[in-house]
Amino acid sequence: MANIPYKIYLTEKELPQYWYNLKAVMKELPDPMLNPATLKPCTKEELKQVFCSELVEQEFNAKDKYIEIPEGIRDFYRMIRPSPLIRAYYLERMLNTPAEIYYKFEGTNTSGSHKLNSAAAQVFYAKEEGITTLTTETGAGQWGTALSMACAFYNIDLTVYMVKVSAEQKPYRKAVIETYGGKVIPSPSDTTEIGRKILAENPGTGGSLGCAISEALETAAKTENCRYVLGSVLDHVLLHQSIIGEETRIACEKYDIKPDIIIGSVGGGSNFGGLIAPFMGDKIAGKNNIHFIGVEPASCPSLTRGRYAYDFGDTGKTTPLIKMYTLGSGFMPSPNHAGGLRYHGMSPIVSKLYHDGYFEARSVEQTRVFEAAVAFARCEGILPAPESSHALCVAIDEAIKCRERGEKKTIIFGLSGTGYFDISAYMSYNNGSMSDYVPTDEDLEKGFATIPRI
Ligand SMILES: *Cc1c(COP(=O)(O)O)cnc(C)c1O
């Protein structure tokens, strides 16, 4: 084998000291969040009623390219990071490709994904500010799990509104959250006004992420010393996830790896935005010509088929208006979609970069995603998360192109998590019951009709 080790681990000393703030280097900034009542940009004061104050400062920071990671967060990061950058020698061999393939694996911590990078930061700041309780929503459960781990470490109470179908279908996720001390409430619930309203209108509903967000927000607003935290989409979450990109950049510099293509999966955009951050900064500055690809499910195609518009972040239409690629807050992916990445919207930073032509977006159907996931598991050993397998699938496509064209490109993709909690999706792939559903233009129109006209 070549002189690049199979697993590249940075030392504890090399752990990044700074997050990389993409907004400080973007030529044009995303449009500001708007207060839906006044249609004026949200002020810091308004947001601080819901979010921790330091996070709001970070949300508005478009000035500092590097933001220091406080020692109290580095404390936590030392427990779970650095994560390895792995040279996919076995995948290369299986594909018989001249391409060099690497993946940054964020699934080595117990919660199983990159979400812990932002959970730790958000809980740390809450603690610093004297907050005693946090609320959040979780769909598939990765965010709730990550947050419960961080809350246990920093000793803060946590209430998780978990989409009801997920709580029923994923009892193990719920058990892990409870093991770390988090309280799980299946949503919609009778603990909030919006929950009671939704239950009265649709008694049998299995809930949705947007509805769980509405419940968590309402509880945060009504509970003393309580704030709401969100696991993706917002600028400060992307900032925290830039630790992935910074570690990748340092590892690349150490071994003189020069990526031609960087690929990530996109749900709300945080792991992709974090992975590409320093590389995209250099691209904007004209220092590289990396081809970035964001990959989403064909059944929830926010970037490839969505609209770039102001929209609500939740079904209950209670959040500020966010300018983003969206399918409409009323959009629901078809029930047979098992592969995660089901959010209707997209990070405003990722949306703006996409709108301005800085990267390519592709969509893939879930049976192809699982085909790639199974092939990867069998040769590289790791059982990948379905979400991450979207990026993996396109990395394989690109590596095959290299073989056909005799090109020796260097490809890096984000393997954002493990698939240990997605066994039911693997079961449905293995027993042949998994199918694809690509929404028709008519389906999408129904979602677009829920986008506010402003
Ligand atoms: C949540 C999640 C995603 C999607 O969220 P982003 O904010 O787009 O990163 C991707 N992969 C895994 C493993 C996840 O848990």
Side-chain angles (χ1 to χ4, degrees):
M1 283 191 178
N3 53 358
I4 293 184
Y6 176 62
K7 277 187 189 165
I8 303 173
Y9 272 110
L10 301 180
T11 65
E12 210 175 296
K13 263 206 176 130
E14 290 167 317
L15 197 67
Q17 312 220 355
Y18 300 92
W19 289 304
Y20 189 102
N21 182 12
L22 257 176
K23 274 202 294 192
V25 298
M26 287 169 70
K27 295 233 161 92
E28 276 179 42
L29 290 176
D31 292 324
M33 271 188 220
L34 301 182
N35 177 325
T38 62
L39 297 185
K40 297 232 165 64
C42 290
T43 62
K44 286 185 184 175
E45 287 61 40
E46 282 170 334
L47 290 181
K48 283 180 186 179
Q49 291 167 15
V50 182
F51 295 104
C52 297
S53 136
E54 187 55 36
L55 298 171
V56 173
E57 294 299 325
Q58 291 178 351
E59 192 68 22
F60 278 78
N61 191 330
K63 179 169 78 41
D64 303 309
K65 179 170 166 188
Y66 296 104
I67 294 179
E68 189 165 2
I69 305 173
E71 190 50 34
I73 297 173
R74 283 167 52 80
D75 244 10
F76 190 93
Y77 280 176
R78 260 189 286 276
M79 210 161 62
I80 58 161
R81 311 202 64 83
S83 72
L85 180 69
I86 302 176
R87 172 77 185 268
Y89 282 116
Y90 308 120
L91 181 65
E92 290 172 16
R93 190 169 62 193
M94 182 191 74
L95 297 172
N96 189 22
T97 175
E100 278 183 24
I101 311 174
Y102 298 85
Y103 53 98
K104 180 72 170 161
F105 184 39
E106 290 294 310
T108 52
N109 67 75
T110 296
S111 73
S113 81
H114 66 283
K115 291 197 171 68
L116 199 43
N117 299 328
S118 185
Q122 297 197 45
V123 177
F124 169 82
Y125 289 121
K127 185 74 180 181
E128 290 274 285
E129 287 168 31
I131 303 300
T132 50
T133 313
L134 292 173
T135 67
T136 197
E137 75 292 335
T138 198
Q142 291 100 327
W143 171 243
T145 312
L147 201 59
S148 68
M149 284 178 73
C151 282
F153 186 81
Y154 293 106
N155 196 13
I156 282 201
D157 290 340
L158 172 67
T159 303
V160 180
Y161 287 91
M162 185 167 187
V163 178
K164 193 183 271 169
V165 278
S166 300
E168 284 161 5
Q169 286 169 2
K170 301 194 164 187
Y172 298 132
R173 269 288 179 196
K174 182 166 171 280
V176 176
I177 298 173
E178 287 167 348
T179 302
Y180 284 94
K183 181 172 156 199
V184 178
I185 302 180
S187 165
S189 74
D190 60 6
T191 65
T192 63
E193 258 168 53
I194 183 86
R196 287 189 291 270
K197 183 164 169 265
I198 292 170
L199 280 175
E201 285 165 7
N202 318 278
T205 178
S208 71
L209 207 48
C211 160
I213 295 176
S214 308
E215 287 206 278
L217 276 170
E218 182 183 324
T219 302
K222 282 186 184 158
T223 312
E224 183 136 10
N225 251 339
C226 179
R227 291 288 183 282
Y228 167 73
V229 286
L230 189 67
S232 183
V233 183
L234 298 178
D235 298 359
H236 64 264
V237 181
L238 251 74
L239 176 73
H240 306 148
Q241 295 300 352
S242 70
I243 185 104
I244 307 171
E246 276 294 293
E247 280 185 10
T248 306
R249 178 188 62 78
I250 295 168
C252 285
E253 283 170 8
K254 202 167 161 182
Y255 288 93
D256 202 27
I257 300 163
K258 298 207 166 62
D260 299 296
I261 305 175
I262 301 183
I263 306 166
S265 60
V266 286
S270 75
N271 87 86
F272 178 66
L275 171 66
I276 67 172
F279 299 97
M280 179 60 85
D282 281 354
K283 176 160 178 166
I284 293 170
K287 292 187 203 155
N288 70 39
N289 194 22
I290 297 174
H291 179 186
F292 300 96
I293 309 172
V295 190
E296 62 187 10
S299 57
C300 189
S302 330
L303 287 172
T304 50
R305 295 173 71 197
R307 300 238 167 107
Y308 190 45
Y310 270 109
D311 195 8
F312 290 100
D314 66 329
T315 322
K317 304 195 171 184
T318 55
T319 66
L321 291 166
I322 306 171
K323 181 76 175 281
M324 59 183 173
Y325 277 86
T326 178
L327 297 167
S329 64
F331 177 82
M332 296 265 178
S334 97
N336 77 349
H337 175 67
L341 311 174
R342 336 167 43 98
Y343 189 59
H344 68 274
M346 183 55 59
S347 141
I349 294 177
V350 169
S351 293
K352 177 68 179 160
L353 288 169
Y354 181 61
H355 196 67
D356 291 347
Y358 284 101
F359 73 90
E360 181 195 348
R362 282 190 209 166
S363 70
V364 280
E365 296 178 15
Q366 66 178 356
T367 50
R368 277 201 69 216
V369 167
F370 276 83
E371 194 186 323
V374 168
F376 180 82
R378 290 181 188 176
C379 76
E380 286 283 325
I382 294 170
L383 185 76
E387 292 91 341
S388 322
S389 304
H390 287 73
L392 160 67
C393 181
V394 167
I396 292 177
D397 289 346
E398 289 300 310
I400 290 173
K401 263 189 224 162
C402 285
R403 179 179 72 206
E404 288 165 352
R405 298 173 184 169
E407 287 173 343
K408 190 177 181 319
K409 289 192 176 166
T410 298
I411 301 169
I412 298 180
F413 69 92
L415 194 72
S416 48
T418 72
Y420 291 149
F421 290 99
D422 300 284
I423 302 301
S424 58
Y426 276 98
M427 280 165 69
S428 101
Y429 177 74
N430 291 340
N431 70 24
S433 65
M434 179 177 283
S435 57
D436 293 314
Y437 183 78
V438 180
T440 62
D441 288 343
E442 217 177 15
D443 294 333
L444 293 186
E445 281 306 326
K446 283 184 204 145
F448 294 147
T450 65
I451 298 175
R453 268 170 246 270
I454 63 164

